[in-house]
Amino acid sequence: GAVVSQHPSRVICKSGTSVKIECRSLDFQATTMFWYRQFPKQSLMLMATSNEGSKATYEQGVEKDKFLINHASLTLSTLTVTSAHPEDSSFYICSAPAGTSGSDTQYFGPGTRLTVL
Amino acid sequence: GESVGLHLPTLSVQEGDNSIINCAYSNSASDYFIWYKQESGKGPQFIIDIRSNMDKRQGQRVTVLLNKTVKHLSLQIAATQPGDSAVYFCAENIQGYSTLTFGKGTMLLVSP
């Protein structure tokens, strides 16, 4: 199956700092990638859709100025959590569909554990 | 957004038993369904999918059943093993739209 990587796997930062998380599709190109957030014992909640060459689409309630998304190439999307606060501590996961149709299997990265002190 | 609780439904089984994990989906327009397995601290892993023109699909040790009439999806795992212990999520999708909507998840605990 297709492989998606994330970096870093875990990060601890101080409140007020910004953190960048990378999502890469290793063996396929992805014009679209998705960013999810997952709190303990809860399901994945879609934050935004990252589109190569255009602006990201954010879900309702997600602040676009706080969660900056850049889809720099067909294999890389980045999520920057700006001015992080303890309530931003969560497990952030990206995914990418391995195909060009609207209903392709999505492959997920291993996730990034963010802890804001 | 969906309402979520702090406690996942849990299914506890003995090694070797067959497991059935259920999922109710909400959107009658959904036509593509996927089951994912998520181990602690890891991203979801694709298990099996099914399109709405089918009501059953089998993989290795896993079977997915789809009942569109009652909007119900199930995952059957045969001869469950300790390595199957994880949280299982169903996800639904509408053809032409690439976003997935995830269910709440079920934790499967397999005892040796």
Side-chain angles (χ1 to χ4, degrees):
Chain A
V3 180
V4 175
S5 71
Q6 280 183 243
H7 178 80
S9 58
R10 58 178 62 231
V11 57
I12 301 172
C13 69
K14 293 182 179 180
S15 185
T17 60
S18 294
V19 174
K20 180 186 284 188
I21 303 170
E22 294 185 348
C23 176
R24 293 182 186 273
S25 55
L26 297 185
D27 51 359
F28 65 102
Q29 294 184 331
T31 56
T32 302
M33 291 183 175
F34 301 93
W35 287 97
Y36 295 84
R37 180 166 53 182
Q38 185 179 34
F39 292 106
K41 298 190 184 300
Q42 295 188 20
S43 190
L44 285 75
M45 293 184 63
L46 180 65
M47 298 175 65
T49 302
S50 173
N51 304 298
E52 191 270 336
S54 63
K55 291 182 180 180
T57 305
Y58 290 82
E59 296 299 299
Q60 190 173 8
V62 178
E63 299 176 57
K64 63 180 182 180
D65 294 330
K66 181 167 184 63
F67 298 99
L68 300 179
I69 292 173
N70 182 26
H71 202 130
S73 73
L74 288 172
T75 60
L76 173 65
S77 174
T78 60
L79 169 69
T80 301
V81 183
T82 62
S83 186
H85 289 94
E87 57 266 30
D88 298 323
S89 298
S90 189
F91 193 50
Y92 292 87
I93 311 171
C94 70
S95 73
T100 56
S101 74
S103 297
D104 294 304
T105 302
Q106 286 195 27
Y107 292 90
F108 285 81
T112 297
R113 174 76 58 193
L114 171 63
T115 302
V116 184
L117 303 176
Chain B
E2 71 175 69
S3 61
V4 292
L6 295 178
H7 300 284
L8 288 169
T10 300
L11 174 64
S12 297
V13 301
Q14 294 286 114
E15 182 178 3
D17 287 351
N18 295 331
S19 302
I20 300 176
I21 300 171
N22 297 302
C23 176
Y25 64 94
S26 56
N27 192 340
S28 56
S30 294
D31 54 10
Y32 178 54
F33 306 88
I34 313 103
W35 279 100
Y36 287 95
K37 172 187 180 183
Q38 188 180 26
E39 296 176 86
S40 182
K42 297 183 179 180
Q45 176 187 1
F46 172 86
I47 300 174
I48 192 168
D49 59 0
I50 189 168
R51 298 196 184 273
S52 59
N53 60 351
M54 302 173 69
D55 52 22
K56 180 179 180 179
R57 188 160 187 231
Q58 288 185 288
Q60 188 176 13
R61 281 203 307 121
V62 294
T63 301
V64 55
L65 299 177
L66 174 63
N67 185 330
K68 295 182 288 294
T69 302
V70 296
K71 292 188 286 188
H72 184 269
L73 194 66
S74 68
L75 176 70
Q76 300 179 0
I77 304 174
T80 315
Q81 302 167 1
D84 294 327
S85 294
V87 178
Y88 289 81
F89 293 99
C90 66
E92 60 184 295
N93 172 260
I94 300 173
Q95 188 170 10
Y97 298 89
S98 49
T99 57
L100 291 175
T101 300
F102 279 82
K104 294 185 172 64
T106 297
M107 179 174 290
L108 176 65
L109 297 175
V110 183
S111 305

